[in-house]
Amino acid sequence: MPKKILVVDDSALMRRVLCDIIDTDIRFQVADRAKDGLEAFDLLSRNSYDAVVLDVNMPRMNGLQLLQELRKYKIPARVMMASTDTKEGARTTLDALELGALDFVHKPDSAVDCRGENFRREFLRTLNVVANSKLLVFAEEAKLTEEKGTVKEMMKIINHHPVSVSGSKVVAIASSTGGPKSLQSVIPLLPANLDAPVLVVQHMPVGFTASLAERLDNLSQLHVKEAAEGEELKKGWVYIAMGGKHLNVVTSPAGRHTLHLSEEPYREGVRPCANYMYESLQTSRFDSVVCAVMTGMGADGTEGIGKLKASKKSYVIAQDQNTSVVFGMPKSIIAAGLADQVVPLDQIAQEIILHVGVVK
């Protein structure tokens, strides 16, 4: 049976274009349409849908306001945002993800461009992920917030009683759908004196990763930034892979580790792809690598970590199914026998600290 989709957009032409795209795929069926958040809220109050395609800028009630109302009245919905790639648009998209949206696509300004094959393919791919993702009800979300508070207290204890792990280490994290919000339950809980640099590959398009890094930096004790070509890795810093470029670690003969951003082919259908990051760490001078594979579709990270484990001491943490929005990437790691530990989202930061240590 086709998945039922609600399309919300104030432009009659854009609604028609998006609905035409959806109805060409036998997996989906447009069940309802709304021209603003108020109409959508009324429909969502009375009906259930497998996914909602939501515009941001609309009269009467915009996309963010609708998400706030859904949260207020505890109305669950799987929401995919249609966003612009401007800096302001990127920040709005991150706001939407924090409010409960699961993923987003960059919607071209022109309806003509929306009819292009590239947009159609990406739109349907993302819609399929969202429509088949876990519906996180608000009671579960509240439980995760409560558990996160407990972990913060645990971090204080660890900071007062520093964990020491010998050798040089690096942390390498991979995430996709559900990742931007989930990273806020990991990165801000890592202490400023973490004894390793942190690399993050989050599947995002060009124009969004700088805003993600800025937001995480404001929340974190560590310094968080979008990765830049040629910069040297430093302890206490988190480097977010730039949207549209793969993140590689280059090791000099003297043992310096620097970042290289490449435009090698898409892999696993994405760029950045975590496999490149993990494979580049095979020849690094780090004594050990702590990997964390979090929520996301597909199998990105499995091939790279498999090669990494065969050549370097590595400890792999996989997020569990109950706290993953999409249990694709962690499931693939577990199925391949590469996971050393499977933990809920609220315990990932703790495990990273225990296996990396802090600078005394």
Side-chain angles (χ1 to χ4, degrees):
M1 180 177 293
K3 300 284 187 180
K4 296 192 298 181
I5 311 300
L6 169 63
V7 176
V8 188
D9 200 298
D10 64 324
S11 165
L13 177 59
M14 191 61 74
R15 285 199 305 274
R16 178 181 173 184
V17 171
L18 296 180
C19 289
D20 285 347
I21 293 173
I22 293 168
D23 284 335
T24 61
D25 193 312
I26 61 172
R27 296 173 296 178
F28 311 116
Q29 176 187 8
V30 176
D32 278 310
R33 312 175 190 206
K35 66 177 182 293
D36 59 36
L38 276 179
E39 284 191 3
F41 182 77
D42 178 60
L43 289 167
L44 286 161
S45 299
R46 296 183 286 109
N47 308 297
S48 62
Y49 304 93
D50 294 297
V52 180
V53 177
L54 181 61
D55 188 20
V56 176
N57 298 311
M58 297 177 291
R60 299 205 300 171
M61 180 185 287
N62 64 33
L64 292 183
Q65 291 168 331
L66 172 61
L67 290 170
Q68 289 169 340
E69 290 300 299
L70 294 177
R71 176 185 288 258
K72 177 180 177 181
Y73 290 98
K74 296 181 170 55
I75 300 173
R78 300 179 184 88
V79 177
M80 179 178 88
M81 303 301 296
S83 308
T84 65
D85 62 355
T86 62
K87 188 171 184 180
E88 181 180 348
R91 289 173 176 166
T92 302
T93 298
L94 291 174
D95 288 340
L97 295 174
E98 285 187 17
L99 288 169
L102 298 178
D103 212 334
F104 66 96
V105 291
H106 166 227
K107 183 179 66 178
D109 296 328
S110 165
V112 174
D113 293 334
C114 284
R115 294 185 187 276
E117 181 58 29
N118 288 341
F119 174 75
R120 177 184 176 279
R121 182 171 56 249
E122 180 62 17
F123 179 89
L124 292 173
R125 183 195 69 80
T126 306
L127 181 60
N128 186 53
V129 174
V130 170
N132 288 284
S133 63
K134 180 181 178 182
L135 188 60
L136 184 66
V137 297
F138 292 95
E140 289 177 303
E141 190 175 75
K143 184 174 182 290
L144 288 176
T145 301
E146 179 182 338
E147 289 173 346
K148 189 167 75 171
T150 303
V151 175
K152 283 184 178 179
E153 294 303 315
M154 202 172 297
M155 294 306 103
K156 291 179 183 178
I157 295 173
I158 291 174
N159 283 335
H160 286 298
H161 303 278
V163 180
S164 179
V165 181
S166 62
S168 60
K169 291 88 53 178
V170 64
V171 178
I173 299 173
S175 55
S176 186
T177 305
K181 186 174 182 180
S182 296
L183 286 169
Q184 292 188 24
S185 296
V186 177
I187 304 300
L189 298 182
L190 298 175
N193 59 340
L194 188 73
D195 193 20
V198 180
L199 306 172
V200 177
V201 168
Q202 163 65 44
H203 297 161
M204 294 187 99
V206 177
F208 289 88
T209 45
S211 293
L212 174 63
E214 180 182 351
R215 183 157 304 200
L216 287 170
D217 185 60
N218 290 334
L219 296 170
S220 304
Q221 301 174 60
L222 296 167
H223 303 284
V224 185
K225 69 184 300 294
E226 185 182 57
E229 176 66 30
E231 65 183 317
E232 186 170 357
L233 296 185
K234 295 181 291 187
K235 297 176 183 179
W237 285 78
V238 180
Y239 305 90
I240 309 286
M242 182 183 293
K245 293 184 183 293
H246 298 301
L247 182 68
N248 298 272
V249 174
V250 177
T251 307
S252 72
R256 292 176 60 247
H257 296 106
T258 57
L259 297 177
H260 173 54
L261 309 181
S262 74
E263 294 185 358
E264 294 166 273
Y266 280 72
R267 193 165 160 190
E268 301 288 339
V270 293
R271 190 166 67 194
C273 173
N275 282 325
Y276 283 106
M277 170 183 68
Y278 290 125
E279 288 168 0
S280 71
L281 288 169
Q282 291 181 87
T283 55
S284 71
R285 294 287 187 90
F286 292 111
D287 295 308
S288 62
V289 183
V290 174
C291 308
V293 179
M294 295 167 52
T295 176
M297 66 166 291
D300 187 21
T302 299
E303 185 177 8
I305 287 176
K307 294 177 181 178
L308 178 63
K309 269 207 156 189
S311 58
K312 185 172 289 291
K313 181 182 177 183
S314 306
Y315 191 86
V316 181
I317 303 163
Q319 185 176 348
D320 72 357
Q321 183 171 3
N322 286 340
T323 61
S324 294
V325 175
V326 179
F327 191 53
M329 288 163 52
K331 181 180 180 181
S332 178
I333 288 287
I334 296 165
L338 298 172
D340 295 291
Q341 196 168 17
V342 181
V343 299
L345 175 63
D346 65 278
Q347 292 181 24
I348 292 177
Q350 173 190 349
E351 294 305 324
I352 289 174
I353 294 170
L354 290 173
H355 290 90
V356 170
V358 295
V359 179
K360 295 181 178 179

